[in-house]
Amino acid sequence: MAIPDEEYILKTTSACAGCPSSLILRYVTKAAGPDTVLVIPACCTSVIQGVYPTTAMNIPVYNVAFASAAAVGSGMSEAFRACGKKTNVICYAGDGGTVDIGIQALSGALERGNDFLYVCYDNEAYSNTGMQRSGATPFAARTTTTPAGKQDLKKDLDAIVAAHNPVYQATACAAYPVDLYNKVVKALSMPGPKFMHVLAPCPPGWRFPSEETIEMGKLAVKSGMWVLWERDHGKLAITGASKAAMVKRIPVADYLTRQGRFKGITEEQIAEIQAAIDRSIGCLQKEVESEC
Amino acid sequence: MLMIGTGNKAVALAVRDAKPVVVAAYPITPQTEIVEEIANYVTDGSMDARYIPVESEHSSMAACIGAAATGVRTFTATSSHGLVYMCEMLHMSAGARLPIVMANANRALGPGWNIGAEQSDSLSMRDTGWLQCYVSTAQEAYDTAFMAFRIAEHESVLLPVMINLDGFLLTHITQPFETVDPEGFLPPTNTPHAIDINHPGGYGTLTKGTEHFRFRWDIERGMRDSVAVIQEVEEAFAGRYGRRYDMVEEYRCEDAEVVIIAMGTLGKEMEVAVDILREEGVRAGSIRIRWFRPFPAIDLAGREVVVIDRDYSFGFGGVLANELRAKCGCRPFSVIAGLGGQEVTYDDIASFVRIRTEGGEHWFGVDA
Ligand SMILES: Cc1ncc(C[n+]2csc(CCOP(=O)(O)OP(=O)(O)O)c2C)c(N)n1
Ligand code: SF4
Ligand SMILES: [Mg+2]
């Protein structure tokens, strides 16, 4: 699919250099087109848009309370449908607004079958408030509230969402915009609740140079730390660059040691992460091959 | 049409007649009958609305916000813990100038669990930017809930409206009431800032202090202007349907030397108390405050005042008593009564008047 030239996020944002959130939003909105409303809870993207009365967005953006994106989205979508309008309603939320404070509203909206797309861009921390840990922060990562590295594992958001049987569910990564674009187009072609989880390597949060955002996303996928897939009506398929990573992967140490947030990580911890990756790739492979 | 039903049923029928496009709600005692009734109307086709059975009150208000943002009429109902749970969204809905209408069944807050009538729930949401009305009969509940949409959606108000009914004492009491022929009374919604795909813009974007300040003043102006709008709508309602309401309801006040002031169902009981006191030779009258936000202008000069609060602000006093002290410059005898559904009879109310002292406070059932 050819990606359209139209831009819905203009070159006047207040994002950091190398920001993955604005990059992802760029492709999400290109795929969605102008008949779209974004619903955005408190997160970096609340700031990226710019300051009233100006805005860097040229589609309507409705900014809402931190925990409320999915519920606002479901009300908005029901109202549009009741009036015979096909307008896309897309919630665009950070990991904190999704896996932590917003998970109840998300769960409710997915279960109710409301017609909307929820995109979680996952920079693995509360970036807006200065890089505190979230439920999506990975094991061993340092944040301002886990100064010695996080002791707990990253919450398995995708398993939680899958338990709701949304019509379409996919992962994507800021480093692979075509894969991302195609998935958004596909998601929006289906009525009902859709969910996308997009890895967003964040230079200040993860502590790497701002020109390496794409590089970091590629390392995540090539190491299998992040897997590109989709579940269309429950049926899993591995997509894009992850097909190769299912077979052959770079060591996860190559990904971890490039980021300041993993400074001081031990060999044992790296081995633990490597083992977890190999295990979860094995599980995905089994699910792909299974008939159910 | 003449109906026999509870206060809850009256609200549900008013909502049916107002024809909202989206209703999002979560059940809580003693409000449940409202949301069950509406779910039935939607299912049997007597109401053409989208009913969103949300997973919490935070989300019921959030869903109403999302729907109202597109310019459609919305309704929800809650009570007590549900109301305070959606507190954040009360601020968000008023701040976004969305004319959502909500019924609240006034109920105590835990712990311990108590489902009896108390107005501490809605009064603790006083400063959220919502208009608040307290009703006393099923008829008034029906009429006010119906009018509320026209008030909220009026171009010079554009603020949400909360209709408060005392839990059980009104929500569950069966009374006769008349429904109206709704045709033409509520103009179609016309939200000037409804989302328009052809005119994209940011809503609730990061806002600097100067603009934030201006938006707050705009809300205050909407509140102030709402007094005239309430009176205009109540006048239009009286003209068409014959039932008359005002910011407050006065009873035998013309020559009264002492007035009793309260809200909700106590406001009806105290009319009987006034009659009892008059027979004893006390020149008593009563003022039932209907609209608490915006707060009405009441002239109490030269009168003794007894205020009954079914609520309390810890460390400061009865909420209504404090509002009257601040707004009307009086020194009322403040009675705290009826918390957690405590029974308060007209005889009790008459006794409050007999023991009044200027500026005193009395906790009914606690003070000896
Ligand atoms: C109820 C509430 N609690 C806390 C906050 C403060 N807050 C705003 S954004 C944010 C973190 C957002 O993290 P995430 O969702 O991951 O988005 P990111 O900032 O990383 O883009 C927090 C804690 C808030 N706005 N509202
Ligand atoms: S902190 Fe990260 S996600 Fe947030 S604006 Fe900066 S680069 Fe983007
Ligand atoms: Mg984040």
Side-chain angles (χ1 to χ4, degrees), chain A residues 42-44 66 94-97 101 121 123 125-129, chain B residues 88:
Chain A
C43 60
C44 276
F66 198 16
D95 48 295
I101 199 166
Y121 68 95
N123 56 16
Y126 298 154
S127 299
N128 173 286
T129 38
Chain B
E88 181 187 30

Side-chain angles (χ1 to χ4, degrees), chain A residues 1-285:
Chain A
M1 254 181 275
I3 296 180
D5 292 334
E6 282 80 16
E7 300 288 354
Y8 302 99
I9 173 165
L10 307 176
K11 290 173 185 153
T12 51
T13 72
S14 35
C16 314
C19 173
S21 164
S22 34
L23 182 63
I24 295 163
L25 190 56
R26 183 171 175 220
Y27 289 96
V28 168
T29 51
K30 275 174 179 277
D35 192 10
T36 300
V37 180
L38 291 175
V39 175
I40 300 185
C43 60
C44 276
T45 314
S46 343
V47 180
I48 288 171
Q49 301 157 47
V51 180
Y52 175 86
T54 61
T55 171
M57 304 297 303
N58 60 4
I59 51 175
V61 177
Y62 214 75
N63 291 284
V64 301
F66 198 16
S68 70
V72 173
S74 62
M76 192 178 285
S77 141
E78 286 296 290
F80 279 137
R81 299 303 171 261
C83 299
K85 291 182 185 163
K86 291 197 171 76
T87 307
N88 299 311
V89 175
I90 302 182
C91 300
Y92 190 74
D95 48 295
T98 305
V99 307
D100 294 336
I101 199 166
I103 196 142
Q104 173 178 313
L106 173 63
S107 173
L110 291 174
E111 181 262 334
R112 288 190 300 272
N114 298 130
D115 181 23
F116 75 119
L117 169 63
Y118 192 105
V119 178
C120 168
Y121 68 95
D122 187 354
N123 56 16
E124 304 191 316
Y126 298 154
S127 299
N128 173 286
T129 38
M131 318 300 174
Q132 296 84 18
R133 103 195 257 289
S134 81
T137 302
F139 172 63
R142 289 172 191 230
T143 65
T144 52
T145 50
T146 53
K150 191 184 176 195
Q151 301 299 305
D152 317 294
L153 302 182
K154 183 180 174 88
K155 195 189 281 189
D156 192 349
L157 171 65
D158 298 316
I160 296 169
V161 171
H164 294 77
N165 297 308
V167 292
Y168 183 80
Q169 178 182 5
T171 61
C173 171
Y176 299 93
V178 177
D179 180 71
L180 166 65
Y181 175 89
N182 289 340
K183 284 169 174 170
V184 175
V185 170
K186 189 165 180 182
L188 292 174
S189 72
M190 304 178 193
K194 286 85 59 176
F195 181 86
M196 290 189 54
H197 188 188
V198 190
L199 186 69
C202 161
W206 297 13
R207 292 181 238 163
F208 62 80
S210 58
E211 65 276 17
E212 291 179 8
T213 302
I214 301 299
E215 171 86 9
M216 217 52 67
K218 287 188 171 167
L219 291 175
V221 169
K222 286 179 181 165
S223 64
M225 185 83 174
W226 191 258
V227 183
L228 305 174
W229 51 256
E230 64 179 6
R231 271 202 192 91
D232 186 345
H233 292 85
K235 180 71 189 153
L236 179 72
I238 308 296
T239 66
S242 284
K243 287 180 189 157
M246 294 300 282
V247 188
K248 192 165 181 298
R249 293 181 287 283
I250 61 167
V252 75
D254 293 1
Y255 169 70
L256 301 173
T257 54
R258 292 279 293 271
Q259 303 168 42
R261 64 177 172 157
F262 291 111
K263 194 167 164 233
I265 192 169
T266 64
E267 288 301 322
E268 292 76 45
Q269 286 175 320
I270 294 177
E272 242 179 90
I273 294 171
Q274 185 66 62
I277 289 175
D278 296 342
R279 232 180 4 255
S280 73
I281 297 263
C283 290
L284 280 174
Q285 189 59 42

